[in-house]
Amino acid sequence: MAGDPLGAPLGTAAPDVEPDGRPSLGDLIGAVTEDLSLLVRQEVELAKAELTASAKQAGKGSGMLAGSGLAGYFVLFFLSCALWWGLPMGRAWAAVVVAVVWAVVAAVLALRGRGELRRVKGAPRTAETIKKIPNALKGDEEANHE
């Protein structure tokens, strides 16, 4: 499959070439517009991917904190039962043991949930690449590598 003599693939329009061999201003603007459009689409896709991962992590941490809150509620409930049943020692001690178990569950969930929420980073790669766009638009891409 051969392209046209100017190297454009078949099915695409050949660029308008000025008499001095350079592409026309319209072709240059069209190319810049296409490149900018591609850049924006890629940035949006990157942001979606990063934010999806961050949202999953935040949801996991939030769920653990919600579980911790529920377990904390049971701690209060069973401690209340222990106080309520205080005179018959057998029932009271059983409620205290159950409350201690729920306290351990609540503490573990709270610590793990807090750790998950601290690891949420948002979209760091998107933020980093967006900072490079002004230099790229100026044609000073070497400044992005410093």
Side-chain angles (χ1 to χ4, degrees):
M1 294 186 185
D4 69 15
L6 295 176
L10 289 175
T12 62
D16 294 334
V17 178
E18 298 294 324
D20 61 358
R22 293 184 293 169
S24 71
L25 181 60
D27 287 336
L28 291 175
I29 291 174
V32 168
T33 303
E34 282 182 38
D35 290 345
L36 191 56
S37 175
L38 177 63
L39 177 64
V40 169
R41 280 195 305 271
Q42 288 174 339
E43 288 299 325
V44 167
E45 288 301 316
L46 177 61
K48 279 187 201 177
E50 287 184 315
L51 292 175
T52 298
S54 291
K56 285 180 183 178
Q57 195 171 22
K60 185 177 176 182
S62 297
M64 287 181 184
L65 286 177
S68 170
L70 178 64
Y73 169 77
F74 280 112
V75 167
L76 291 176
F77 174 76
F78 285 110
L79 283 176
S80 297
C81 287
L83 290 174
W84 183 43
W85 290 92
L87 291 176
M89 294 306 281
R91 289 183 220 156
W93 282 112
V96 168
V97 168
V98 172
V100 168
V101 169
W102 276 111
V104 170
V105 169
V108 168
L109 286 174
L111 290 175
R112 296 223 27 225
R114 189 169 145 211
E116 286 293 320
L117 289 177
R118 283 188 173 173
R119 290 193 300 163
V120 172
K121 291 180 175 55
R125 287 183 52 206
T126 301
E128 179 183 322
T129 57
I130 285 177
K131 289 178 187 175
K132 295 179 179 182
I133 291 174
N135 290 333
L137 291 176
K138 292 177 196 171
D140 188 19
E141 293 182 33
E142 289 79 29
N144 290 333
H145 301 291
E146 294 175 356

